[in-house]
Amino acid sequence: MGRRKVEIKRIEDKSSRQVTFCKRRNGLIEKARQLSVLCGSSVAVLIVSSIGKVYSSSSGDSMAKILKHYEVQHADKLKTLDLTEKTQNYLSLNELLETVQRKLEAANVDNITVQSLISLEEQSKTALSLTRARKTELMMQLVKSFQEKMGKEKEFLETEDERAMLLEYSSGSNLRETLPLLK
């Protein structure tokens, strides 16, 4: 019994798809190696799986040398291709403004214009700056009251220490004994 031709379409079963991927990946890499040996050429294979894992193989020269050689050979095509892709992704300024205006009008139930949105943005910025200024003012008041409270506590402790020293001194203890304690 011979092998039948496999219909090329996406394999729905996840485990079967993974097994097929591994077998065919290894077969592709082996065929690339054989081509390199038979023809004396440099072959590089890059494979990216559906989950994003990259598999690479090179025979003959190293992968870096092969890619560098490819860049040199196709530099003009790559630059042109890159430029065309970039220009296709960008619209002209007028087209962009028209697109924005259409989206605003489509989503706009209250008939808000771009100018009114700009005005709202400026008002929001002003309100935000006023809120930040008030917050800073309140924080400064809080810090000041905390510092005053700490100053009063410090004064209270200093007067308590002085009273304790006076009591010791008046009770007949020697001044020479209390001086080292103050240091």
Side-chain angles (χ1 to χ4, degrees):
M1 181 172 175
R3 290 178 13 186
R4 64 187 168 104
K5 187 173 182 177
V6 176
E7 184 182 347
I8 303 297
K9 66 175 186 172
R10 181 177 167 86
I11 300 171
E12 296 303 320
D13 183 32
K14 189 175 181 179
S15 62
S16 297
R17 187 171 52 235
Q18 184 61 34
V19 169
T20 302
F21 173 77
C22 290
K23 286 182 178 180
R24 289 199 174 220
R25 180 195 68 217
N26 292 336
L28 180 63
I29 291 172
E30 180 59 27
K31 288 290 184 184
R33 188 192 63 77
Q34 291 173 3
L35 178 65
S36 174
V37 170
L38 290 172
C39 300
S41 61
S42 297
V43 178
V45 178
L46 286 174
I47 302 171
V48 181
S49 71
S50 60
I51 60 171
K53 190 171 181 182
V54 178
Y55 300 92
S56 63
S57 173
S58 63
S59 53
D61 292 335
S62 70
M63 180 71 77
K65 282 184 181 178
I66 295 170
L67 291 175
K68 188 68 174 172
H69 185 72
Y70 180 81
E71 284 180 23
V72 169
Q73 290 287 327
H74 299 293
D76 294 333
K77 289 181 184 176
L78 290 174
K79 286 178 185 175
T80 306
L81 181 65
D82 191 35
L83 271 175
T84 55
E85 284 179 3
K86 284 182 180 177
T87 56
Q88 287 175 353
N89 291 337
Y90 296 114
L91 300 172
S92 71
L93 184 59
N94 289 334
E95 291 173 332
L96 182 62
L97 287 173
E98 288 172 3
T99 305
V100 169
Q101 186 69 34
R102 268 187 270 123
K103 287 185 179 181
L104 283 173
E105 289 171 358
N108 189 0
V109 179
D110 300 329
N111 293 329
I112 297 176
T113 64
V114 174
Q115 297 301 332
S116 61
L117 289 174
I118 291 171
S119 173
L120 284 172
E121 182 182 19
E122 291 299 321
Q123 291 173 6
S124 298
K125 286 180 183 178
T126 305
L128 182 62
S129 65
L130 290 173
T131 304
R132 285 183 176 156
R134 178 68 178 145
K135 177 184 156 191
T136 304
E137 180 184 328
L138 290 174
M139 293 294 287
M140 293 304 290
Q141 287 176 357
L142 186 65
V143 168
K144 190 175 180 180
S145 68
F146 182 70
Q147 287 174 342
E148 289 174 0
K149 193 175 189 180
M150 291 302 293
K152 289 177 183 177
E153 289 288 326
K154 186 177 177 184
E155 289 175 14
F156 176 74
L157 290 174
E158 287 174 354
T159 56
E160 286 295 316
D161 286 344
E162 289 173 2
R163 286 183 193 160
M165 286 175 42
L166 286 174
L167 285 174
E168 283 183 25
Y169 185 71
S170 63
S171 64
S173 65
N174 197 352
L175 182 62
R176 288 183 199 161
E177 294 173 2
T178 59
L179 283 178
L181 294 175
L182 293 176
K183 293 180 184 177

